[in-house]
Amino acid sequence: MHWKLQLALLAIVINIVRSQNDTESVTDNTEAEPETESDVESGQFFSHLYKSNLRQMVKIKNDSLDPCDDFYAHACGNFDQALKEDPDESLPPYLYNKQDRMGFFTAQVANFQTLPGKLISQLYSECRQRGQSNAFCVNPPTHWESLLSEIPFLAQHETVLRDWPFLQHQWERRHLNGQLNWIALSAQLAAHGVPTLLNIYFAQETIYVAPLEDLPCPSMEDFQTSLSDVLEGRHHRVSHVISHEMRVLCRGMRGELPLARSLTRKDRTTTASPGQEQLLLDENTMDYFQHFFGSLNFSKEQLERARKFPLDVDKITTAWEVLRQTEPRIVYNYVLWQAKEHLRYPDCYRVSEEFERLLHAEYWQWHVLNSHLSREVALAAYQLHTTRFQQRRRSSLSQRDWYGYLLPASVEKKELQVARILQAHAQHYLNISELNETYSGVSFKRNSFHGNLLLLRRAQLRHSFESPYIDEEDVNQPAYFLRHFLHFVLLSLYRPTFHYYATQGLELWRQSRLLLDTDGSYTAMDCLERQSLQHFDAELAPIYRSLSFDEIKEIFHFHRSFQTSLRDYRFWLQGERFAFAETFVLQYFGLNPQRVLFYAVAQQLCNRQADIFAAQLNRGYMNMPEFQEAFKCGAAKPMNPSARCMINMCE
Ligand SMILES: *[C@@H]1O[C@H](CO)[C@@H](O)[C@H](O)[C@H]1NC(C)=O
Ligand SMILES: *[C@@H]1O[C@H](CO)[C@@H](O)[C@H](O)[C@H]1NC(C)=O
Ligand SMILES: *[C@@H]1O[C@H](CO)[C@@H](O)[C@H](O)[C@H]1NC(C)=O
Ligand SMILES: *[C@@H]1O[C@H](CO)[C@@H](O)[C@H](O)[C@H]1NC(C)=O
Ligand SMILES: *[C@@H]1O[C@H](CO)[C@@H](O)[C@H](O)[C@H]1NC(C)=O
C-alpha cells in the first residue's frame, strides 16, 4: 500500500515537472477539460492546480519589501495588486478549504450514486430551481405560495392561510379558533426539523427537551420588513400591529418583560421543589408532545423505554406561561412567521452541511472520488499526515495513566492505526445498509423543495433517536478524524500538500490543545514583554509594539502549533522521499521547502485585520530558529532579535 502511494505521488510530481516548461502556454485550459480516469490526466489536473497555487503565492508577495524587516508586509505586499489582476481568484485565502469543498460538491452532486446521496442531489437541484419559471408555470410562485402548496400540513388550510397573518377581527369573523391550532402547528413543524417554541432532540433512546436557544425576536422594523411580502397592499398599520404583538410575545418568552418574570417566580415557589429539575406538564405541553411524537410516529414502547431529560426547566416554564396568557391567534402568527423565515434557505450549499452524514456516506462509498484517487491511497496518505499528531496524542494519553487514568491496552495500541479506526467507525456511522433502510421510506415529490426538505429532516430526526450521540469536534473521537479525512481528500484534490499543513494541519494542532503549557506560556509572556521594551520603535521597528495578555497567549499557541506543523511537513517530505522533487518544483518558483510554509500560512491572513495578525505572525515567526534558518536575516534586522523567546521548552 505504501509503495502504491509513493508511486501515485511520484506520478503527480513528474507531471508537474514535465509541464513546467509550458507553464505559461497551458495556463487555464486544463480546468475546462473533463477529468478522466487515467492517472496521467488526473496527474495533470493536480499539477495545474499546484502550479496556479504557487504562481498565486509568488504574485502576492512583494520582493521589494525585505522579509527580514516585516515578514507579514513582505508576504502580503502585493495582495491588492494580485486581486486586481486576477479578480477570479479574489477569494479570501482563508476560505480556500471551504471553497474547495463547495466546488467539489457542486461539480459532483449530480453524479451521486447511493440512496442517501441521491436524496441530497435531488434536494439540492430543487433548491437551485426554486422560483424559476418553467414551461408550465409562467409566474413562479412566491416563497409563501410555495410553502402553502408544498407542505402538507399547511396545504390542508391553504385557503384560509392565504390571508395570513391574522388580525383579531379576521380571526373572530372567520372562527379560526376552531380551525387553526398553534400547538399542533408548532409540534408538526418541530417534528419536521423546524423548532419554534420548544427544542426537542434525541440521542440514542434519549429525549432532551430544552428551551429554544436564541428565540428569534427582531426589532419592530425587521419584523415589518420580513412581513412585507405577505402584507403587500394592506394598510401599513396592519404590519405595525402584527409586528408589535409578535414582539411582545417573543420578548415575554425570553423573559425580557418584567411581568412574565414575576409570574413564573410565584409559580415556581408553589410548584417546583428546588434542586429537582422536573418539567411540569400543563395541558398545552402535553398536547404538544402528543402531536410531536405522533408526527414522528414513534411507537409507544420506544417512548416508554427512552430516557427523558428536560433542560433549563425554568426557562421553559417562563416561556410556556407567557404562551398560556397570549391570544392563540398571536402565537399562531408568530409560529408561522418563524417557519416562513426559517425556510427561506438562501444558500443551497447548506443542504450539504445540514445532511452531512448522508453526504459523507456518499463520499465514503467513493463513487465520485474514484477517478481522482483510490480510498486506500487516500487513507495511507492521511495516516502519514497524522502520524506525529497521533504519537503525541498517545504519549499525552499515557502520561495521564500516571495519574490513574488507565486506558485498556488494546485501545492504546490502536491509536496509531488511523486508517483502521476510520474504517471501523465509518462502517457503523456511515453504514450504507442502515442508511438505505432508514431513508428508503422517504418519498420525495417532484419539484417540491420545501416539502422534501421537511421530509428529509423528519427522517433525520427519527434516525437520531437510533444513533448514539457523536461530537464531531472532539479530537479524541474517530468522528473528528473521519470528517477531517474527507476534508483532507478534497483539499488534496485542489491544493498542493503544503496547503494542508498550512491550514488543516495547523488547525489540528491548535484545536487539539495538546500543546498547551501554562509554564511555557508565562515564560513567553515575560520574554515577549521584554522584547517589546527593548526593541520597540514606532518608526524603525513598529513590529515590536506591546501586546495584550490575550495576544501573547495567541502568539504562544500559534508559535508552537506552527513549529509542529512545519515539522509534520518535513516529516512528510522525508517519509515520501519526496523532498528532491518538491525542491525542484519550488525552486522553479523561487521558493524552497524551508520557506514555503511560512508564506502559505502568512498569506491566509493577508488583508484581514492587518495590525492584529501582523503582530501574531511576525512575533511568532521571529522567535523561531526555523525562520532564521530559512531566511537568514542579518544581525541588525527586526525579524532577527538578539534573544529569542519560547525556544527552550522541554517537549
Ligand atoms: C525545459 O526546456 C529546456 C530548454 O528550454 C530544456 O533544456 C529542459 O530539458 C526542459 N525541461 C523539461 C523537464 O522538459
Ligand atoms: C511593493 O512594495 C513597494 C514598497 O512599499 C511599493 O512601492 C510597491 O508599489 C509594491 N508593489 C506592488 C506591486 O504593490
Ligand atoms: C407508523 O409506524 C407504524 C409501526 O410502528 C407503521 O405500521 C405505520 O405504517 C407508520 N405510519 C407512518 C405514516 O409512517
Ligand atoms: C442501498 O441502496 C442502493 C439503491 O437502492 C442499492 O443499489 C445498494 O445495493 C444498497 N446498498 C446496501 C449495502 O444495501
Ligand atoms: C449495518 O447496518 C445493517 C442493517 O441495519 C446491520 O445489519 C449491520 O450489522 C450494520 N453493520 C455495522 C458494521 O454496523
Side-chain angles (χ1 to χ4, degrees):
M1 190 152 76
H2 216 104
W3 178 230
K4 204 170 159 193
L5 167 68
Q6 285 185 9
L7 275 182
L9 292 172
L10 207 63
I12 295 164
V13 172
I14 289 169
N15 269 304
I16 294 161
V17 174
R18 268 207 204 116
S19 47
Q20 260 175 26
N21 271 6
D22 44 31
T23 312
E24 297 315 318
S25 59
V26 289
T27 344
D28 280 301
N29 305 338
T30 19
E31 206 154 64
E33 286 167 18
E35 302 121 35
T36 74
E37 293 198 17
S38 96
D39 281 349
V40 179
E41 292 282 321
S42 63
Q44 274 166 1
F45 174 69
F46 280 95
S47 71
H48 164 69
L49 292 161
Y50 197 119
K51 274 187 298 185
S52 78
N53 268 280
L54 285 170
R55 221 180 299 128
Q56 191 69 7
M57 178 180 275
V58 170
K59 217 188 256 176
I60 291 177
K61 75 187 167 88
N62 182 340
D63 284 327
S64 37
L65 297 168
D66 187 345
C68 292
D69 284 336
D70 177 342
F71 187 79
Y72 179 83
H74 159 74
C76 295
N78 286 347
F79 186 77
D80 294 334
Q81 190 66 27
L83 275 195
K84 255 183 250 152
E85 283 169 24
D86 241 333
D88 291 347
E89 308 256 349
S90 70
L91 177 72
Y94 58 95
L95 284 180
Y96 275 163
N97 300 344
K98 190 169 181 199
Q99 185 71 17
D100 296 340
R101 292 201 289 274
M102 281 171 61
F104 186 78
F105 175 79
T106 48
Q108 295 292 340
V109 64
N111 306 328
F112 287 178
Q113 287 182 30
T114 64
L115 185 142
K118 282 179 175 164
L119 290 173
I120 291 186
S121 181
Q122 186 178 341
L123 203 55
Y124 177 75
S125 80
E126 286 178 350
C127 179
R128 297 295 303 263
Q129 283 157 15
R130 271 178 308 171
Q132 280 173 8
S133 52
N134 58 40
F136 305 104
C137 159
V138 180
N139 278 330
T142 64
H143 174 58
W144 180 238
E145 284 165 351
S146 24
L147 294 188
L148 290 190
S149 63
E150 291 171 10
I151 299 174
F153 51 88
L154 296 184
Q156 202 183 334
H157 303 291
E158 190 176 354
T159 5
V160 183
L161 288 180
R162 276 176 210 275
D163 297 328
W164 177 86
F166 304 111
L167 289 167
Q168 195 177 4
H169 70 88
Q170 286 173 293
W171 187 268
E172 281 168 6
R173 187 163 37 81
R174 301 175 69 167
H175 307 289
L176 294 180
N177 242 353
Q179 282 185 56
L180 302 178
N181 176 349
W182 63 265
I183 297 179
L185 175 68
S186 175
Q188 289 246 10
L189 282 166
H192 290 83
V194 187
T196 55
L197 301 174
L198 197 62
N199 193 10
I200 304 180
Y201 54 93
F202 309 122
Q204 194 164 36
E205 309 227 319
T206 313
I207 301 169
Y208 296 92
V209 180
L212 208 62
E213 290 297 328
D214 302 322
L215 192 77
C217 200
S219 66
M220 282 289 289
E221 262 182 14
D222 290 343
F223 259 128
Q224 283 172 291
T225 314
S226 72
L227 286 171
S228 59
D229 56 344
V230 281
L231 286 178
E232 208 178 331
R234 289 173 75 178
H235 196 281
H236 71 267
R237 278 175 46 198
V238 174
S239 152
H240 188 91
V241 170
I242 286 170
S243 303
H244 181 70
E245 287 171 344
M246 292 203 288
R247 189 157 157 79
V248 170
L249 171 61
C250 61
R251 291 196 61 201
M253 287 182 72
R254 281 153 66 125
E256 290 170 12
L257 299 180
L259 174 71
R261 223 178 283 140
S262 64
L263 263 174
T264 13
R265 206 170 289 141
K266 197 177 74 204
D267 213 34
R268 218 182 111 72
T269 47
T270 53
T271 51
S273 54
Q276 193 187 2
E277 291 250 293
Q278 277 280 332
L279 185 58
L280 291 162
L281 298 175
D282 65 1
E283 249 173 55
N284 284 348
T285 33
M286 297 278 274
D287 206 10
Y288 185 93
F289 285 130
Q290 251 165 24
H291 279 286
F292 177 79
F293 289 109
S295 308
L296 280 175
N297 199 18
F298 282 160
S299 70
K300 202 160 156 243
E301 298 77 56
Q302 278 177 312
L303 285 179
E304 277 167 4
R305 214 174 39 231
R307 288 168 300 164
K308 295 147 196 107
F309 289 107
L311 305 170
D312 210 345
V313 171
D314 266 1
K315 223 169 146 186
I316 298 179
T317 316
T318 311
W320 282 71
E321 184 59 34
V322 172
L323 288 174
R324 205 143 61 124
Q325 296 175 10
T326 309
E327 265 183 67
R329 170 185 65 86
I330 299 175
V331 184
Y332 195 91
N333 278 346
Y334 179 60
V335 168
L336 207 46
W337 169 80
Q338 274 195 57
K340 172 169 106 55
E341 289 309 303
H342 184 93
L343 291 173
R344 282 194 196 273
Y345 221 83
D347 176 5
C348 293
Y349 180 66
R350 250 177 63 196
V351 167
S352 76
E353 294 172 334
E354 215 190 303
F355 304 102
E356 198 181 46
R357 183 168 177 186
L358 303 187
L359 176 69
H360 285 177
E362 166 70 43
Y363 285 167
W364 181 256
Q365 293 302 307
W366 227 257
H367 299 301
V368 290
L369 283 159
N370 257 334
S371 56
H372 300 289
L373 77 173
S374 79
R375 187 157 81 190
E376 284 64 36
V377 170
L379 277 168
Y382 188 64
Q383 165 127 348
L384 193 63
H385 289 175
T386 57
T387 298
R388 290 189 66 255
F389 180 82
Q390 299 297 343
Q391 271 166 351
R392 176 70 183 235
R393 196 156 68 110
R394 192 158 70 140
S395 81
S396 80
L397 280 178
S398 40
Q399 265 169 21
R400 266 193 269 160
D401 288 352
W402 282 91
Y403 305 102
Y405 183 72
L406 227 64
L407 281 163
S410 58
V411 174
E412 223 197 287
K413 226 168 161 184
K414 270 197 214 149
E415 278 300 315
L416 271 174
Q417 291 293 334
V418 180
R420 276 235 315 270
I421 290 178
L422 288 186
Q423 260 161 334
H425 176 64
Q427 262 173 21
H428 286 284
Y429 189 58
L430 305 179
N431 180 345
I432 195 70
S433 328
E434 182 190 321
L435 292 170
N436 263 3
E437 272 171 34
T438 309
Y439 287 91
S440 61
V442 178
S443 53
F444 276 0
K445 275 207 247 152
R446 290 188 68 77
N447 295 322
S448 170
F449 168 69
H450 300 99
N452 294 340
L453 176 67
L454 294 196
L455 281 179
L456 199 57
R457 284 188 179 176
R458 178 176 173 273
Q460 180 168 261
L461 199 56
R462 278 183 58 96
H463 192 204
S464 70
F465 187 69
E466 290 150 21
S467 306
Y469 175 71
I470 291 206
D471 181 0
E472 288 178 333
E473 303 295 326
D474 180 353
V475 287
N476 289 315
Q477 300 291 329
Y480 176 90
F481 287 96
L482 182 59
R483 190 161 181 239
H484 277 258
F485 165 66
L486 291 168
H487 291 179
F488 160 79
V489 171
L490 300 186
L491 182 65
S492 69
L493 296 183
Y494 288 92
R495 307 285 156 188
T497 309
F498 61 77
H499 260 286
Y500 170 79
Y501 291 101
T503 56
Q504 297 189 16
L506 186 63
E507 271 320 284
L508 186 72
W509 285 105
R510 291 184 80 163
Q511 283 168 6
S512 71
R513 299 272 179 240
L514 279 180
L515 303 171
L516 281 189
D517 168 353
T518 322
D519 290 348
S521 144
Y522 280 113
T523 316
M525 185 176 306
D526 284 343
C527 179
L528 285 169
E529 267 166 13
R530 232 176 304 125
Q531 238 176 20
S532 291
L533 281 176
Q534 271 175 15
H535 298 283
F536 177 71
D537 180 325
E539 289 278 313
L540 295 174
I543 60 175
Y544 283 96
R545 72 168 170 79
S546 66
L547 302 159
S548 72
F549 176 66
D550 285 340
E551 276 180 312
I552 291 183
K553 273 202 331 211
E554 270 302 306
I555 290 173
F556 175 72
H557 202 43
F558 170 78
H559 174 102
R560 303 200 87 189
S561 309
F562 180 91
Q563 266 184 325
T564 314
S565 192
L566 181 62
R567 269 174 233 166
D568 285 349
Y569 174 57
R570 294 191 179 161
F571 175 75
W572 173 74
L573 285 176
Q574 287 165 14
E576 292 312 305
R577 298 193 186 87
F578 196 48
F580 171 74
E582 181 99 338
T583 308
F584 194 66
V585 175
L586 293 176
Q587 220 164 37
Y588 179 85
F589 290 92
L591 293 163
N592 63 44
Q594 273 72 44
R595 293 185 171 191
V596 72
L597 212 59
F598 288 100
Y599 283 110
V601 169
Q603 291 190 343
Q604 284 175 73
L605 305 176
C606 292
N607 211 22
R608 298 168 68 190
Q609 298 177 298
D611 50 334
I612 298 176
F613 289 118
Q616 177 176 332
L617 200 88
N618 283 332
R619 297 296 291 277
Y621 280 179
M622 72 170 65
N623 285 302
M624 286 175 204
E626 294 88 343
F627 182 83
Q628 179 58 14
E629 237 168 71
F631 290 92
K632 308 211 169 11
C633 295
K637 286 294 190 181
M639 289 296 288
N640 186 13
S642 44
R644 274 179 237 288
C645 305
M646 308 186 272
I647 57 170
N648 52 351
M649 230 62 59
C650 347
E651 288 290 330

